[in-house]
Amino acid sequence: MASRMARLGGWVVEVPPSRCLWSAEVCEIHEVPVGTYPTVEEGLAYYAPGWRDKIQKVFSECVEHGTPGMRKCRSALPKTGWCGYE
C-alpha cells in the first residue's frame, strides 16, 4: 500500500535473457499491463534521452563487473512527462 501511495516500484533484470521484471507499481506508473516484461533496450527507452547512454554504461558495468548502479536519473511518465528521482 505504501509503495502505491508513494508511486514507488521495483524492478529486476534477468541476464540472460536481458529482460526487466517490473513490479505492478512500475507497470502502473508506465501505463502498461501488469506482467509486462520489457527487454533491457525497451526499458531504457523509458529514461530521458540525456540519461540513456549513462544508464546503459552503468548497467553494462554492473553486469560485467558487479559494479553498483546509479540512484539518480530521470524517467518518462506517460501522462505527466519526465520525473526525477533518487
Side-chain angles (χ1 to χ4, degrees):
M1 183 168 166
S3 66
R4 185 174 182 84
M5 290 176 65
R7 299 210 29 110
L8 297 173
W11 52 269
V12 174
V13 175
E14 284 188 335
V15 180
S18 271
R19 70 176 179 165
C20 303
L21 305 178
W22 285 358
S23 69
E25 186 62 29
V26 170
C27 290
E28 186 177 310
I29 289 168
H30 292 298
E31 298 182 351
V32 298
V34 173
T36 296
Y37 301 121
T39 64
V40 170
E41 291 76 24
E42 292 167 340
L44 286 172
Y46 284 91
Y47 291 95
W51 285 91
R52 291 178 193 155
D53 288 341
K54 184 174 184 176
I55 293 166
Q56 179 64 57
K57 181 178 184 233
V58 169
F59 175 74
S60 295
E61 289 174 358
C62 180
V63 170
E64 294 170 18
H65 308 292
T67 307
M70 61 197 302
R71 294 185 181 161
K72 183 177 181 180
C73 56
R74 291 185 63 141
S75 182
L77 300 177
K79 290 183 180 175
T80 59
W82 301 104
C83 76
Y85 61 92
E86 293 189 40

